[in-house]
Amino acid sequence: MGVDYSWVNIDKHEYLNPLDFNLGGRLYQTLFVSNSLTGALYNLLSSDWKSDTFLFLGDGTTISENNNYQVLSMLRKKRILDQRFCHEMEYIEETYRCVSGLFYKAREEVMKEICYKLENGRFDTNLDVPFEMLFQRNSSFFRYTINHTKKEYFDTEHTVIDGFNT
C-alpha cells in the first residue's frame, strides 16, 4: 500500500484530489505534465490559486513538531487543535473544499461522490456546494513554470520528472 498525494491550497482551504481525475494518487501517477490533474493544477495556479501557498501532501503525512517550515507548523497546529484527526491530509479532506469538480475531466468520479453523498445525506453545507460551477473548466497547459522567488523555471518540453520524460 502506497501513499496517495493531493495538491492543497493552504490560503484558500481547497484541494485537488487526483483520484477524481481517474489517475490514482501515487506520486508517479500525479506528476506527468500532460495529464488532466496537472492541467487542472496549472489552470488554478494561473487564476484562482495565483500567488497562494500550496503543498503536495501525502495522505498518511504526519508533520513533525521539529520541521523548519512555518506553513507546515501552522497546518500541524490546526490539525492538533481539532483533535479529530491523526494525519494532516485527513484534516484537510474534512475541513477544506475539494475543487476537483470544477473540471470536466473529473466529472465521472465527482458525480459518483455527489450521488453517494445525496443518498446518504452527507453534504456539509459549509464545504460542499454540489451543483455550483461544476465541470465548467478544462485543463490548461503551459510550457514554462516559473518560480519568481527562487528565480528558477522549468521547461515541460525538456524536463524529466521522476524518471519519466515529459
Side-chain angles (χ1 to χ4, degrees), residues 134-145:
L134 285 179
F135 320 124
Q136 293 186 356
R137 294 187 184 189
N138 288 312
S139 296
S140 301
F141 293 96
F142 304 101
R143 179 171 176 186
Y144 299 103
T145 299

Side-chain angles (χ1 to χ4, degrees), residues 17-23 100-101 103-116 135:
N17 183 349
L19 301 176
D20 290 337
F21 292 85
N22 272 329
L23 294 172
S100 300
F103 296 91
Y104 180 75
K105 291 287 188 173
R107 186 177 192 278
E108 182 181 336
E109 292 301 316
V110 170
M111 285 302 295
K112 287 178 192 175
E113 189 172 338
I114 287 172
C115 289
Y116 172 80
F135 320 124

Side-chain angles (χ1 to χ4, degrees), residues 8-14 16 39-55 99 102-103 137 142 144-149:
V8 180
N9 182 318
I10 299 297
D11 298 333
K12 289 200 173 49
H13 291 196
E14 297 175 338
L16 273 176
L41 178 66
Y42 280 9
N43 181 292
L44 289 169
L45 290 175
S46 66
S47 60
D48 306 47
W49 288 12
K50 189 174 186 175
S51 300
D52 288 348
T53 303
F54 67 97
L55 304 168
V99 294
L102 296 173
F103 296 91
R137 294 187 184 189
F142 304 101
Y144 299 103
T145 299
I146 302 169
N147 182 329
H148 293 284
T149 305

Side-chain angles (χ1 to χ4, degrees), residues 69-86:
Y69 300 99
Q70 184 178 3
V71 169
L72 295 177
S73 295
M74 177 209 57
L75 183 58
R76 180 179 186 278
K77 285 178 187 175
K78 286 182 178 182
R79 191 243 331 146
I80 289 171
L81 283 173
D82 195 299
Q83 296 182 354
R84 295 179 292 162
F85 309 106
C86 297

